[in-house]
Each structure stands twice: as structure tokens, then as C-alpha cells.
Amino acid sequence: MPISTGDEISVSEAGRVEVGLADGNTLHVGGGTRAEFESLSAQQGEDDEFSAIPLEEGSVVLAAIGRNDDRIPRIDTDDATVYLSPGARARVNFDPRRGTVVIDRSGTVEVRTRTGSSRLRAGQYLSVRGDEEPDVARGAFSRDRFDIWAADRMDSMSDGRNASARYVDSDSAADVESLDGYGDWSYSPTYQTEVWTPHVDIGWTPYGFGSWYYTPAGLTWWSNDPWGWYPFHYGNWFFEASLSRWCWAPASVYSPAWVYWAYSPGFVGWCPAGWYSGVGSWSGY
């Protein structure tokens, strides 16, 4: 689903969430966590210069992997503000009763507290509560299942397992990772390009399984399909007769949904824009 400035996220104790931020950075959210998106850089419909994420309770792992060094998000708690250097990865734990712990997994991290600023390097961690002086130490702090899961997710983005990344811009490689397990890439003889075809049941149509969601960018398609949001906001869906199936061709221009709308007494309908922005079959009402 899309996120907007002011949205809050709450994750159950058994849950985990990955947030692909529009500035190219990645946020992993652990179980029992509550956080807010106070500002969002590069998000469609927003004009914030950087992202700020207040952590109200729980644990997050932030990976500063975006290409713009001036757009690395910051994590705020009641005790500290955490800034990452380009390429760094850090975990932040916050308990309103016990305080804040920042664990530097890689790169350099700056932590600003009420008493000053501390710089951490990989393998160090900082703990602080309220107005107390922060304690900086070295060691493998909080290496738990959430850490392992977040590290595995990051490794899968960078070790070449993402075959779909070959067909999109490098900045979007992580956004199409889930396509690998839910479809196949093949050559379209009609349009002479590589296209992606999902593994779906008969009767499936693009923009047919999901709902519409209001965002600052406009009425946005929120897909229920398991492979994620990217193919519904970039590129075109079209029915390839030679393959007898729906196909998606990547492109680099964003839209809340690449559909045409139709209105008449009693119903509203939409359909995929199709190849060359031609009209496809109707998808909903």
C-alpha cells in the first residue's frame, strides 16, 4: 500500500514490515513497533526535502542505500535523533520506560542526544535515556531474529538473486524483487520487448483485484496481488494475443494508476491504458 506524510504504522508482535521509501532507502519495522512518517522525501505528491520517522515504540532497521546523500532519513525517539551516513545500516530500539538503543551494523552513524552528539562506527552501540549521558560500547548487541531477517532481506537485494532488476532502472531494483516468485519474463513478438507475465487464475485482469486509496498524488491503486505495487504505477499492462495472457512492460514514469475511467448513470468503471495507451478490456466498476 502507498504511504503519505502523517501516516502511522503499527506492527503486531509476530509481524515484520519492509518499507521501500521513495528516496531509495529501506526501512524494516519489527514486531510490536509503532512509528510515524512525519515527512517523506521524493514521495509522489509530497514536497518534503528529507524523510523523518519518529519511533514511538519498538525496533526499526534503516538502510541508507539511496543514491542521494542529502536524502537519508532520520529516526527520532524521545531520547535521540539518529542520522546515517551513505551506505550505513543501523538498528534503533526505543522503549518509553527504558530509553533508546542505537546499534551500528555498518558504516557511520551520528546520534544526537540532549547532552551532545556521538559518532558510532560499525560494531558499536549507544544507549541513552532522557537527560542522562549516553553510554557507548562495542559488541554484538540485539542480534535476534528481526536482525537476521532484515539482513537477509538486504542481502537478497544486492547479491543478484533479483532477476527482475535487469529490466528496470537500478533505483527500482528492490521494488521489483517480488516479481521473480510470481511470474516469468518472456519476449513479446508483437511489441519486440521483454515483458513480465504473472502466474494468475483465468479471469484475472490488471487493476481488478484491489481498491482505490486517496493520497496527495491523487486516487491511487492499492493492489491485493502478492507481487507488490510497482507494475501498477510504472509501465503498461496489455493483453498479448500471441501469448494469450496479460503482460506488463516496464517504464520509468509514475502514475497513481495507468487506467482510463468511464462514467455513466449507475456505475464508474476503469480499464488498463494498454500498450501505446490504447484501451484494454474493462476491469472494474
Side-chain angles (χ1 to χ4, degrees):
M1 65 169 295
I3 57 174
S4 303
T5 296
D7 284 351
E8 297 182 358
I9 186 170
S10 179
V11 182
S12 67
E13 289 292 339
R16 295 167 185 151
V17 173
E18 180 176 287
V19 181
L21 296 167
D23 53 23
N25 301 290
T26 299
L27 179 75
H28 292 112
V29 187
T33 296
R34 293 183 297 113
E36 180 184 355
F37 299 98
E38 183 178 278
S39 61
L40 290 168
S41 173
Q43 186 81 351
Q44 297 291 337
E46 310 284 1
D47 56 4
D48 299 320
E49 294 184 2
F50 62 91
S51 299
I53 305 169
L55 178 60
E56 299 173 8
E57 183 179 20
S59 301
V60 297
V61 173
L62 177 62
I65 57 176
R67 291 181 175 271
N68 192 326
D69 296 351
D70 296 328
R71 290 184 173 177
I72 298 176
R74 74 167 195 251
I75 304 295
D76 296 325
T77 73
D78 289 350
D79 310 299
T81 298
V82 182
Y83 298 90
L84 274 65
S85 63
R89 187 169 78 246
R91 173 168 173 166
V92 182
N93 301 336
F94 175 60
D95 184 320
R97 296 168 298 176
R98 297 188 176 95
T100 298
V101 177
V102 181
I103 306 104
D104 188 343
R105 296 303 188 198
S106 64
T108 303
V109 176
E110 181 183 359
V111 184
R112 298 180 185 176
T113 66
R114 300 176 192 178
T115 60
S117 179
S118 301
R119 187 169 294 274
L120 306 180
R121 298 189 181 278
Q124 291 183 313
Y125 65 88
L126 176 148
S127 56
V128 62
R129 184 176 64 176
D131 296 327
E132 298 176 0
E133 285 286 340
D135 179 38
V136 178
R138 189 172 186 85
F141 191 98
S142 297
R143 186 71 71 173
D144 57 14
R145 291 184 178 180
F146 174 52
D147 270 307
I148 295 171
W149 174 78
D152 183 65
R153 291 293 302 156
M154 294 306 303
D155 289 344
S156 68
M157 296 179 189
S158 60
D159 66 1
R161 281 187 266 172
N162 183 358
S164 297
R166 294 177 294 180
Y167 303 100
V168 299
D169 295 338
S170 57
D171 289 344
S172 303
D175 298 320
V176 297
E177 180 186 11
S178 59
L179 298 185
D180 291 357
Y182 292 100
D184 303 296
W185 289 90
S186 58
Y187 182 77
S188 167
T190 304
Y191 302 104
Q192 300 181 358
T193 187
E194 294 291 330
V195 297
W196 182 76
T197 57
H199 301 155
V200 291
D201 296 331
I202 295 176
W204 180 90
T205 58
Y207 303 101
F209 297 87
S211 58
W212 294 97
Y213 184 84
Y214 282 100
T215 72
L219 195 61
T220 301
W221 180 249
W222 179 0
S223 174
N224 288 342
D225 293 303
W227 55 77
W229 63 278
Y230 192 89
F232 298 101
H233 301 290
Y234 291 89
N236 299 89
W237 286 95
F238 61 96
F239 193 83
E240 169 60 273
S242 65
L243 300 174
S244 298
R245 64 185 68 182
W246 284 99
C247 300
W248 172 70
S252 57
V253 179
Y254 174 87
S255 173
W258 288 103
V259 299
Y260 287 117
W261 291 89
Y263 309 88
S264 72
F267 80 89
V268 175
W270 63 89
C271 68
W275 192 270
Y276 299 127
S277 295
V279 177
S281 63
W282 289 104
S283 294
Y285 61 87

